[in-house]
Amino acid sequence: MKKLSARRRHPLAALVVLLFALVASGGLYAAFAPAEKAQADSSAQSLAIDEGKRLFAVGCSSCHGLNGQGSSMGPSLVGVGSAAVDFQVGTGRMPAQQPGAQVPRKKGIYSQAEIDQLAAFVASLGPGPVTPTQEQYTATETDAISKGGELFRTNCSQCHNFAGAGGALTQGKFAPSLENVDPKHIYEAMQTGPQNMPSFPDTTMPEKQKQEIVAFVRYQANEAPNPGGLSLGSLGPVTEGLFGWIFGLGVLIAVAIWVAAHTTKAKKS
Amino acid sequence: MSQDMSDDKLPQAHGAGEGHGEVAAADNPFADPGLPPHEPRRTDIDERAAKRAERQVSLLFIVSMLATVGFIASYVAIDPAKIVYIFPLGHISALNFALGMTLGVALFCIGAGAVHWARTLMSDVELPAERHPIEADDEVRADVIQQFKTGAGESGFGRRKMIRNTLIGSMALVPLSGVVLLRDLGPLPGTSLDTTAWKEATPTTPIRLINVNTNLPMKAEDIAVGSLTFAKPGPSALRPDGLQESDEDFQQVIAKSALMLIRIQPSDIKDAKSAALGFEGVLAYSKICTHVGCPISLYEQQTHHALCPCHQSTFDLSDGARVIFGPAGHPLPQLKITTDASGYLIATQDFDLPVGPSFWERNA
């Protein structure tokens, strides 16, 4: 103790005491401070938004504006929600390759993690439809497919064709085929109404009905049998008529020629 | 060749003495070459070959009969809902496949048998037939004309004008009986096409707009900009339960009353009258094309164009459903809507124009 008291007037004594105090208070704080889980989450969220903003500035801002406010090249993204971003970027429609009547589906260039970051940034611009979870777009009831078929015929078949094969619209626009479309993207399309498709919000078509439609579209694309054999693309009278004229009549003509060429009277000269 | 061959079945020398082919080509390059000499088929000269061909034809006909029996049997026996896997075709209806295959085989074998019969067993000896003018000679014609004149003179048809004119009149009127028979096909629509189920509504008993998907009434805020919703008439004085799919006349009623609801930013609505018929940008248009009455709801939410899938009539829903392309003659009728005290969308009157295509008794 003598050593300690002998040096209490040393010029560095105050610094040593200060250090002790700092270590003690810091250590006590670390030991007793409440663990804040929520804070960790929101920092991850804000990290995603920051990262999304960076991706947005590189890939999207030339058309949609630096803050997603829109420009003459692309619409405002305020309020479109994360579901719209997940659909447009997830199906490769965005970033668009070129201007035109319709932006077609193509191979995506962003990973799902990057899409989520972009979606987080766009969702932060204004409230909008949220990317659905798997429970939201997966129907569990056994009669979902038949109910979905009825809803599909009422709401979707006029543009997308009775079997979801797609169809033409005005001036180069078209309703794409629903075959090989991810269930999540079908659900998001109904939620957000991409391009010229009208939206079917939960207020007029509740979540459960969207699930049923998704179930029907997947069944139609993957499992539905073709009672007549060849479906010919399920496009209706055009392909069926073409098949009948070319193959049906063609075979008959070929048989007629064969019969005529093989009578005993036919001479090869 | 076999011993069945007898001399009288062997080919005989053709040409000489038959009036054909005897002119030497050297004398006249354009001479009638005549028919080539007849060549017998194997079945003409070989009795065993002929028997074999006969059996083949019969076999084809028997296969056809069996296939027809199979057709009837599969029609009776196979469950229409049965789905089977058949290699190149995939999962298909067993009944469709069986019916198509058996009927195809039955018809094909009849045709194949007939062709085989004609080619192997029926006589194939050429028979030339000279072509002659088909008109009668002058003598016969003069006789017929004389007979006609005599008959006409005896009937007095040319002299007795009254008989002639009444005959023409009666002949002209006979086809009208056919028109009357066709009239039997049904009463003209009369005024039944002028009104829809929305008609029953009055300001005191309005009809709510019922969402076809959920069977529930809708509020204006349920209809989002860019969305598309279909509605049917709700409970009214004449129909206390509203229109139900189980109703006997559901198809007739919905065919006229089907409604599509969209919402456009009020500033984007070009037609002031159309904006006034709607409610805060919610517009209710008839779903029935005014060309030939197809259900038309290919709505493009960015251009506000609605397209008819049948003949590509295109309507601009932001401009009072004006026709901008296609054969439709007039705009889609719009329903005047508002909200009731509870905020639900209601219709208070019928369409101002008859819905759907033109018809004889249409007054607008």
Side-chain angles (χ1 to χ4, degrees):
Chain A
M1 281 313 266
K2 194 160 180 210
K3 228 181 224 179
L4 208 66
S5 62
R7 294 200 165 113
R8 69 193 160 118
R9 296 206 186 270
H10 191 276
L12 290 175
L15 190 65
V16 170
V17 170
L18 198 64
L19 270 175
F20 268 116
L22 277 172
V23 168
S25 63
L28 283 172
Y29 181 82
F32 295 108
E36 282 180 286
K37 229 179 169 182
Q39 203 178 348
D41 245 346
S42 83
S43 76
Q45 184 70 11
S46 66
L47 268 178
I49 292 173
D50 279 351
E51 196 61 26
K53 185 168 187 176
R54 197 181 59 76
L55 286 167
F56 188 90
V58 174
C60 320
S61 60
S62 55
C63 295
H64 292 290
L66 273 173
N67 294 308
Q69 77 277 21
S71 73
S72 60
M73 303 279 290
S76 163
L77 299 184
V78 178
V80 302
S82 58
V85 179
D86 194 68
F87 175 84
Q88 299 281 3
V89 185
T91 60
R93 286 178 168 82
M94 288 290 144
Q97 212 159 27
Q98 58 188 17
Q102 183 156 341
V103 181
R105 186 179 165 194
K106 59 181 183 295
K107 198 169 176 296
I109 58 167
Y110 288 96
S111 71
Q112 188 59 48
E114 289 171 323
I115 293 169
D116 291 343
Q117 289 166 348
L118 273 173
F121 169 67
V122 172
S124 73
L125 302 175
V130 179
T131 312
T133 60
Q134 185 153 11
E135 296 83 65
Q136 276 178 282
Y137 57 78
T138 310
T140 49
E141 286 169 37
T142 47
D143 61 347
I145 291 170
S146 64
K147 281 183 177 171
E150 215 161 288
L151 290 164
F152 186 88
R153 285 185 285 277
T154 307
N155 295 283
C156 321
S157 62
Q158 58 263 43
C159 295
H160 286 287
N161 155 313
F162 61 94
L169 293 173
T170 65
Q171 296 169 359
K173 297 186 279 286
F174 61 92
S177 163
L178 301 182
E179 212 185 341
N180 305 325
V181 180
D182 193 73
K184 181 175 73 166
H185 293 148
I186 299 173
Y187 190 97
E188 286 167 344
M190 288 189 273
Q191 262 186 324
T192 60
Q195 302 194 35
N196 261 301
M197 173 171 165
S199 64
F200 296 88
D202 285 350
T203 48
T204 54
M205 187 190 277
E207 188 178 303
K208 189 159 165 290
Q209 296 194 321
K210 290 202 190 78
Q211 287 175 2
E212 287 162 355
I213 289 181
V214 169
F216 172 75
V217 172
R218 297 314 300 152
Y219 170 78
Q220 186 68 40
N222 295 332
E223 301 156 47
N226 282 309
L230 301 170
S231 72
L232 302 177
S234 298
L235 291 178
V238 174
T239 49
E240 286 161 19
L242 196 70
F243 187 87
W245 277 97
I246 291 179
F247 290 92
L249 270 183
V251 167
L252 290 182
I253 291 169
V255 168
I257 290 172
W258 182 84
V259 166
H262 285 78
T263 53
T264 48
K265 286 300 157 218
K267 287 277 186 291
K268 293 192 178 77
S269 53
Chain B
M1 288 294 158
S2 67
Q3 60 272 33
D4 286 339
M5 277 168 51
S6 51
D7 284 345
D8 57 312
K9 283 178 183 165
L10 280 170
Q12 291 168 1
H14 275 251
E18 290 194 8
H20 294 287
E22 70 269 42
V23 181
D27 297 346
N28 183 357
F30 301 108
D32 177 8
L35 286 172
H38 177 71
E39 288 177 13
R41 297 164 298 194
R42 188 185 175 119
T43 46
D44 290 334
I45 48 181
D46 183 351
E47 191 53 34
R48 284 201 309 194
K51 285 277 180 210
R52 194 163 60 238
E54 190 185 344
R55 284 197 299 276
Q56 285 165 345
V57 171
S58 304
L59 179 70
L60 283 166
F61 289 153
I62 289 167
V63 169
S64 168
M65 283 189 263
L66 291 177
T68 304
V69 172
F71 179 88
I72 296 165
S74 41
Y75 182 82
V76 174
I78 299 179
D79 178 12
K82 189 171 166 59
I83 299 290
V84 293
Y85 182 82
I86 295 172
F87 159 62
L89 303 171
H91 292 275
I92 69 168
S93 157
L95 181 62
N96 282 357
F97 182 79
L99 292 182
M101 284 305 284
T102 50
L103 189 62
V105 168
L107 293 176
F108 178 83
C109 287
I110 290 178
V115 168
H116 195 53
W117 182 12
R119 286 181 54 207
T120 54
L121 295 173
M122 286 183 186
S123 167
D124 68 337
V125 177
E126 292 84 354
L127 295 173
E130 300 287 340
R131 281 196 287 178
H132 299 286
I134 56 168
E135 61 184 13
D137 54 27
D138 291 346
E139 207 175 306
V140 175
R141 279 197 289 175
D143 187 41
V144 169
I145 289 167
Q146 185 55 43
Q147 282 184 22
F148 181 79
K149 281 183 179 159
T150 311
E154 284 172 355
S155 73
F157 189 80
R159 220 158 15 96
R160 300 185 194 279
K161 295 264 189 321
M162 195 167 75
I163 290 180
R164 189 193 66 184
N165 293 347
T166 48
L167 176 66
I168 292 171
S170 63
M171 295 298 278
L173 281 176
V174 159
L176 280 181
S177 55
V179 176
V180 172
L181 283 175
L182 290 177
R183 178 67 182 76
D184 237 24
L185 286 173
L188 288 175
T191 55
S192 65
L193 292 178
D194 289 342
T195 58
T196 71
W198 304 104
K199 179 76 169 183
E200 300 144 17
T202 65
T204 49
T205 57
I207 302 186
R208 282 180 175 167
L209 273 59
I210 305 293
N211 186 336
V212 173
N213 291 340
T214 58
N215 253 327
L216 296 170
M218 287 172 287
K219 297 191 171 182
E221 60 261 32
D222 294 343
I223 314 289
V225 171
S227 71
L228 175 67
T229 315
F230 302 114
K232 61 180 183 177
S236 63
L238 289 181
R239 219 180 262 274
D241 294 334
L243 183 62
Q244 302 293 332
E245 226 166 294
S246 51
D247 289 355
E248 198 185 334
D249 58 348
F250 175 80
Q251 296 295 349
Q252 280 84 15
V253 175
I254 199 70
K256 292 190 291 178
S257 312
L259 209 61
M260 57 176 165
L261 286 167
I262 58 161
R263 187 169 203 155
I264 302 178
Q265 296 288 2
S267 57
D268 290 346
I269 302 179
K270 296 173 202 152
D271 185 62
K273 180 166 163 271
S274 176
L277 288 173
F279 178 80
E280 293 176 359
V282 180
L283 307 179
Y285 284 105
S286 165
K287 195 183 169 181
I288 310 302
C289 182
T290 56
H291 177 220
V292 284
C294 296
I296 159 179
S297 42
L298 282 69
Y299 170 62
E300 299 176 354
Q301 58 118 335
Q302 288 179 357
T303 56
H304 306 302
H305 293 170
L307 172 72
C308 180
C310 296
H311 304 106
Q312 283 69 51
S313 291
T314 309
F315 302 84
D316 187 350
L317 301 192
S318 65
D319 193 11
R322 187 170 59 86
V323 182
I324 54 173
F325 182 80
H330 32 258
L332 295 175
Q334 191 181 351
L335 190 70
K336 182 172 166 52
I337 55 169
T338 181
T339 52
D340 62 10
S342 330
Y344 289 111
L345 288 169
I346 52 168
T348 55
Q349 62 182 47
D350 199 358
F351 290 105
D352 51 347
L353 296 169
V355 299
S358 298
F359 51 95
W360 285 352
E361 293 161 353
R362 182 172 167 134
N363 47 29

